[in-house]
Amino acid sequence: MTINENLYPIKSWSDIQLNNIKHDNSVAIIMRTKNRPVLLARALESVIQQSYTNWHIYLVNDGGDTSPVNQLIDLNFIDLNHKITVIHNNYSLGMEAASNCGLNIANEEYLVVHDDDDAWHPDFLKETVAYLNTEQQAVAVLTNCIIINEEIQEDKSIQLGTMRWPNWHDQVDITTLIKNNVSPPICLLIRMSVAKQIGEFNKNLPVLGDWDYILRLFRAGEIKTLNKILAYYYHRPNHSNNYGNSVIAAIDKHQKYHVEFRNSLVRQSILENQGNYGILHILLNDNMEKYNLLAQKINKLDHKIGDIQGNVYYLRRKSFPLKRLAAKLQRCIRKWRHKI
């Protein structure tokens, strides 16, 4: 029997040496891009405007045109000099493999993925680095964010509207995380020592790689939260070309891999220990009992609503003669007034 385990998170900790990781509060910023210079310009500006300055960008141009990327770096030479490493891939490796191009050479104390279409509040790095310095037991911290819908028109971003991130929770709980991702990458600052131990991003996932990674990060320890709007997560619902978001433009692929990825998690768990069948059976049976109980309560409410509707109909019928009498009296009064 052949089982595809590629979707499953990397199972063992990496044996990579951690001796070269810095301990100076520095931040490695992995930024992936491909033929989106309008968005890349905003992303670079987002980093340059940070009030916290101890950072280094690992910019991975994943198979896109090199000229616009180099031009943007030249335009920001004063701010980016000695603070950026540019990697031009000859062809596209995919989002997660592109991230690995930066991860494998970065050695700063902290790590964050800043996609080319997102942005930060100027104090994102200042707040998150300070938080992890205080909360030494946390493996990472994520902030709240705002979703901004936009359109790209004539090389300009036109804002359409905003909304709060709908999946915010004050604590990262496995019962929530196991169902869906709880944060876009732009909100998450990670300890590099933990990132190196977890290993590379899963290059076999064309989508949902950030969910896979945060699930693996969860195994290492507590992911803390900072309920402040410090990140901006941009969506372009009307674009399906280079400027489209995978969560919108590739929604079918997201749905497909959402099922296959979850199945792979369960399959691997059962392969490792057949007894996990029992655990799954208990959990599913418990959920079914709760569902049946809820269904019974809903059924009782339906009967009560039916009784109330019947009573209302009965009262309406009983009141009909009274309504006719009241109407007759009103007509008599009007005639009497007219005669006077």
Side-chain angles (χ1 to χ4, degrees), residues 305-320:
I305 291 171
D307 291 340
I308 292 171
Q309 289 175 335
N311 291 333
V312 169
Y313 177 69
Y314 173 77
L315 291 173
R316 283 179 176 174
R317 283 194 306 155
K318 287 293 185 181
S319 67
F320 185 68

Side-chain angles (χ1 to χ4, degrees), residues 164-184:
R164 284 288 193 103
W165 172 246
N167 299 325
W168 175 260
H169 297 274
D170 287 328
Q171 291 182 301
V172 177
D173 185 281
I174 189 58
T175 57
T176 302
L177 182 58
I178 201 68
K179 298 174 186 175
N180 288 292
N181 195 5
V182 296
S183 172

